[in-house]
Amino acid sequence: MKNPTKKRIFPKEEYCLGCHLCEIYCISAHSKEKNLVKLFKMPNRPYPRILVEEKEGEYITFALQCRHCDEPYCITACISGALQMDQNKHLIICDEEKCVGCWSCILVCPYGAIRRNDNKKIASKCDLCIERGIPACVENCPNEALELREV
Amino acid sequence: MKHVIIGNSIACAGCIEGIRRISKEDEIIVISDEPYHIYSRPLISYWLSGKIPTEKIYYRPLDYYEKNKIKTILGKKAIKVDFEVQRVILEDGQEIEYDKLLIATGGKPFIPPIKGYPKESVFTFIKFDDVKRIDKELKPNINTVVVGAGLSGLKAAEALIKRGCKVKVVELANKILGSILDEFSAKKVKDYLEEKGIEFYLENSVVEILGKNKVERIILQKGEELKVDILIIAIGVIPNVDIFKDTPLKLRRGILVNERMETNINNVYAAGDVVESLDLITGNQRVIPILPNAYTQGKIAGINMAGGEAMYDGSFPINSIGFFDIHIMTGGINNPQENTEILEKWDEDTKIYKKIYIDDNKITGFIFINSFDRTGIIVDLMRKKVNISEIKHKILSDNFGLLDFPREFRREKIFGGV
C-alpha cells in the first residue's frame, strides 16, 4: 500500500511581512485565470484559502491555513458530508459541490482557519494544493515565511 | 464480529467509520425504517426550499455502503431487541443476531395533545419523508402555519416563504429561538423575519385542529382562528426510545451511556440524539441533540465495538444557523447566573450582535449574529476551559484571532496540533 508522507505548512511570524501575496497566489492556484492582474480585477474572484492575521499598530503578522487535524472537528460538524478526510493524503478536502454554506465548520475549527467564500456561499479551506504539488503560498512567499514540513 | 446498527443517520455513519478504523472485515448490518440512502436531516429544509437537489441531501456518496462492505436493511422497522439472545426483531418477524449493537434511533417529534390531531396535511418536520409529503402539497400563496419557533420550526418557515407560501408561526414562549437567543437578539431576529413575511403569534398555542379529514382551520389558545392549508408541528425533538420502554435498558429522558458509549447492557452501545451525555459547561448529563455529537459519539462507539479504545469526553450545545441573509452562531449556556460576567455589543448599522457569558474567567456561552468568522477559536476555549482573563478585553473585537493570544500559546496551538 502507498504510504505518502504527511505534510503541514507552518508559518514563521518573524519572517512574515504581511504582504498578503500568499492569498493572491492561493487564489490563482485555485482559479483557471493565472494572470494575477486579471485575477485581481475579476468580479466574483475566488476566495483565498489562507488568511493573514494582522492587527493595526502591531508588527507581528502571520499566515494561517487549515492545520489538517488528525481528529478534525470540522468533519464531525459538517452537515452535508462535503468535508472528508482523504486517508491516503492525510488531508481534509471540501467537496465544493456538496457544501451548502451552513458554516458549521467555522463554528468548530479551533484555529479559525476556514474562511467563507461569500460569492459561492461555500467554505474556503486549504487543500495543500493537492493537484499542484507544492502549495502556492509556500512557493511564492517572498520572505520564506511559510514552510512545508513533513510531520 | 458482527455489528448491527439500528438507525441510518449521522451516528450510524460515525459508527461505521469508527468500526472501519479498527477492522476492515467485521460484518456490519444497518437497519432503518426509512428506505433511503444515508442522508442529512438538517438538509431537509434546504431541500424543501429548493436550495439543494435530491442528490445533495445524501450525507455520504452513493457507493458508501458498498465501499464499506455494509449490509443494509432499509425500510423495515426494528420493533424489539431481545438482549438475552442478542437479536434485533424486525416488523416482518425477521430476527438479526448481533455480537455488538449500536442503538442510534435518534429523535422523534414531540407532539403535545391537540384536539383534532391527527389530520391530513398536518406534518412534522424531521425526516426526508416529512418534506417529501409537504412538497407535494405546496403551492404559492397557500396558508401555512408552523407550530414552534425553534431552530427547525423557523427553518421550515423560511423554506415555506421561499416557496411562496403565506407563513404564520405559533410559539408558546414569549420569544423565538428561546433555546439559543436572549431577549434582545430574539427580538432583533424576529423583526428581521417579520420583514421577510413571517407572521408570529407568541405566547400562544394551537388548541384545536378543525377540518373534515384535512386541516382547514386551527383555533389558538388566545382565541384566534386561522385558515390553514398546511400545518407543520415542529415543537421539539425527544429521544426515540419507544421500543426500549419496559426493557432492562437504562433510560431517563434518553439512553444512559458511559464514556465508551456503552449502555448498561452487555455488547449494547448507543449514540446520537437518543442518548444523554455530559454537558461540559453545566456538568449535567443530558440530551444534546446536535449533529457533531451524533457523529463523534457514533465514531467512539464504533471504535470500541470493534475492539479499539476511545472515550467520549462530553460536549455542549453549539449551533450555526442562518435564515435568509442573517446568520447566527451560539454555544453553551443561555441562562446566566448571578455572578456571570456578560460582554455584549450591538451595532445598529451592521446588525452585528455579540454576547459572551463568562463564569470564573471561562467562557460559558456566546451569541454571535452576523459576525462569526472565527467563532471556532471561542468554542475551542470553551472546550478546553481556558482562563481568558488576559484576553478578555479583546474577545469581542472585530478581527479577534490568534494574534490576540500570548505568543507561546499561539505557537503551541499552531505547532502542537489538536
Side-chain angles (χ1 to χ4, degrees):
Chain A
M1 206 180 99
K2 203 159 84 165
N3 185 23
T5 54
K6 185 168 150 187
K7 289 175 184 159
R8 296 289 177 270
I9 300 169
F10 293 101
K12 294 182 197 162
E13 291 180 7
E14 58 275 32
Y15 293 119
C16 179
L17 305 169
C19 68
H20 292 259
L21 270 177
C22 50
E23 294 185 333
I24 302 295
Y25 280 99
C26 177
I27 295 171
S28 163
H30 296 95
S31 164
K32 287 192 183 79
E33 177 56 67
K34 298 298 171 196
N35 180 313
L36 290 192
V37 179
K38 279 190 192 160
L39 186 72
F40 204 79
K41 291 182 175 167
M42 211 160 88
N44 298 336
R45 68 181 151 114
Y47 269 55
R49 294 146 188 247
I50 183 168
L51 74 97
V52 177
E53 280 217 24
E54 57 194 343
K55 291 256 170 211
E56 212 171 306
E58 278 190 41
Y59 289 107
I60 310 165
T61 59
F62 69 94
L64 179 75
Q65 63 294 86
C66 170
R67 310 314 300 152
H68 298 281
C69 307
D70 291 335
E71 294 289 342
Y73 289 108
C74 59
I75 290 182
T76 69
C78 178
I79 68 168
S80 68
L83 288 169
Q84 279 293 305
M85 179 76 86
D86 182 330
Q87 293 294 356
N88 293 321
K89 306 285 193 316
H90 303 288
L91 54 91
I92 301 160
I93 298 289
C94 177
D95 179 345
E96 299 194 348
E97 290 300 311
K98 275 199 77 84
C99 178
V100 296
C102 73
W103 314 133
S104 295
C105 49
I106 290 176
L107 175 67
V108 298
C109 174
Y111 303 97
I114 302 179
R115 300 185 70 165
R116 282 183 293 147
N117 177 336
D118 250 345
N119 293 333
K120 289 202 208 159
K121 299 264 184 258
I122 53 169
S124 185
K125 73 171 289 301
C126 168
D127 59 358
L128 288 174
C129 284
I130 182 173
E131 285 173 7
R132 194 174 178 279
I134 304 169
C137 57
V138 174
E139 195 175 53
N140 292 290
C141 176
N143 210 32
E144 294 177 21
L146 288 166
E147 187 185 8
L148 184 69
R149 262 193 248 154
E150 278 186 25
V151 290
Chain B
M1 184 76 82
K2 184 174 176 180
H3 305 279
V4 173
I5 302 169
I6 309 177
N8 183 27
S9 194
I10 310 302
C12 168
C15 184
I16 289 170
E17 289 157 32
I19 292 170
R20 284 291 173 251
R21 279 189 195 195
I22 307 293
S23 162
K24 300 280 178 240
E25 298 307 323
D26 278 6
E27 196 180 339
I28 303 176
I29 298 174
V30 172
I31 301 167
S32 172
D33 57 350
E34 292 181 83
Y36 304 113
H37 181 77
I38 186 166
Y39 71 92
S40 172
R41 285 188 178 171
L43 292 184
I44 61 169
S45 71
Y46 291 69
W47 183 88
L48 186 65
S49 73
K51 190 181 169 186
I52 60 163
T54 298
E55 62 265 26
K56 277 207 195 182
I57 203 168
Y58 300 116
Y59 180 63
R60 289 291 181 261
L62 293 176
D63 60 0
Y64 181 68
Y65 302 127
E66 194 193 327
K67 272 203 167 157
N68 284 287
K69 296 185 204 155
I70 311 292
K71 190 181 159 213
T72 57
I73 302 173
L74 304 179
K76 270 187 207 173
K77 191 173 166 56
I79 54 161
K80 192 184 161 196
V81 178
D82 189 332
F83 297 116
E84 288 285 317
V85 294
Q86 304 207 153
R87 281 179 182 192
V88 179
I89 295 131
L90 306 184
E91 58 187 345
D92 62 357
Q94 200 184 339
E95 299 191 5
I96 313 290
E97 267 184 72
Y98 63 82
D99 295 316
K100 304 278 178 186
L101 174 71
L102 179 78
I103 300 168
T105 46
K108 62 168 194 171
F110 169 67
I111 301 169
I114 302 175
K115 204 174 160 193
Y117 177 86
K119 278 203 173 25
E120 285 169 31
S121 302
V122 178
F123 303 98
T124 51
F125 202 78
I126 285 185
K127 295 181 173 188
F128 198 9
D129 274 340
D130 292 330
V131 285
K132 283 188 159 192
R133 288 187 200 118
I134 294 167
D135 180 62
K136 281 197 183 127
E137 297 192 17
L138 274 192
K139 286 183 214 92
N141 291 315
I142 60 170
N143 294 298
T144 65
V145 174
V146 178
V147 188
L151 298 159
S152 69
L154 291 186
K155 283 308 276 185
E158 179 196 30
L160 294 168
I161 289 275
K162 287 182 173 172
R163 293 285 299 268
C165 305
K166 292 179 193 146
V167 183
K168 295 181 168 71
V169 174
V170 181
E171 165 61 46
L172 191 59
N174 61 1
K175 62 174 182 180
I176 68 165
L177 294 169
S179 66
I180 62 167
L181 298 184
D182 60 357
E183 299 275 334
F184 179 82
S185 55
K187 176 75 171 64
K188 294 292 174 194
V189 176
K190 177 172 164 274
D191 290 348
Y192 173 80
L193 293 176
E194 281 171 343
E195 280 171 32
K196 293 287 170 186
I198 299 174
E199 205 178 313
F200 288 95
Y201 293 78
L202 299 187
E203 295 179 271
N204 216 332
S205 60
V206 180
V207 290
E208 189 170 359
I209 302 171
L210 302 168
K212 210 172 164 201
N213 299 314
K214 187 179 175 307
V215 58
E216 289 167 17
R217 284 166 299 130
I218 54 171
I219 297 173
L220 303 188
Q221 188 210 335
K222 287 184 178 169
E224 299 95 330
E225 198 169 314
L226 306 178
K227 201 171 168 294
V228 184
D229 297 307
I230 288 177
L231 180 67
I232 296 176
I233 300 177
I235 294 173
V237 180
I238 50 175
N240 186 9
V241 292
D242 293 352
I243 67 168
F244 304 110
K245 281 182 180 150
D246 308 314
T247 73
L249 185 70
K250 266 197 189 158
L251 302 169
R252 237 177 358 213
R253 224 174 109 79
I255 298 172
L256 302 184
V257 289
N258 63 17
E259 56 284 326
R260 288 172 49 86
M261 305 314 292
E262 292 167 323
T263 68
N264 65 309
I265 293 170
N266 272 347
N267 300 320
V268 179
Y269 298 71
D273 291 3
V274 76
V275 305
E276 293 191 13
S277 60
L278 174 67
D279 184 323
L280 282 175
I281 304 291
T282 64
N284 300 326
Q285 293 283 331
R286 64 181 187 109
V287 180
I288 307 177
I290 57 170
L291 185 141
N293 279 7
Y295 184 88
T296 307
Q297 292 170 353
K299 179 183 79 178
I300 284 165
I303 291 171
N304 290 322
M305 287 161 74
E309 274 296 330
M311 305 277 253
Y312 184 66
D313 48 14
S315 69
F316 46 89
I318 46 172
N319 281 287
S320 171
I321 192 154
F323 303 103
F324 305 98
D325 287 328
I326 56 166
H327 199 87
I328 302 166
M329 285 193 185
T330 61
I333 61 158
N334 187 26
N335 52 340
Q337 308 301 305
E338 212 173 293
N339 296 325
T340 303
E341 194 181 336
I342 297 175
L343 308 177
E344 191 175 14
K345 76 175 187 186
W346 160 253
D347 186 309
E348 184 65 42
D349 294 334
T350 55
K351 309 286 180 205
I352 288 174
Y353 182 63
K354 288 188 171 192
K355 185 177 201 176
I356 291 188
Y357 298 115
I358 300 169
D359 286 282
D360 197 17
N361 279 319
K362 293 172 192 95
I363 301 173
T364 47
F366 66 87
I367 300 169
F368 294 158
I369 300 178
N370 290 333
S371 174
F372 52 84
D373 272 334
R374 305 193 78 192
T375 305
I377 297 175
I378 303 286
V379 169
D380 199 46
L381 293 172
M382 293 170 72
R383 256 184 223 127
K384 300 196 169 108
K385 301 188 184 222
V386 175
N387 184 317
I388 58 148
S389 50
E390 281 181 47
I391 54 160
K392 209 182 278 181
H393 58 292
K394 301 176 184 171
I395 212 151
L396 286 189
S397 70
D398 290 339
N399 64 344
F400 173 73
L402 298 182
L403 268 182
D404 290 308
F405 293 86
R407 188 159 191 262
E408 282 317 304
F409 180 95
R410 179 165 70 241
R411 284 182 67 89
E412 199 193 315
K413 202 169 165 79
I414 296 171
F415 291 92
V418 168

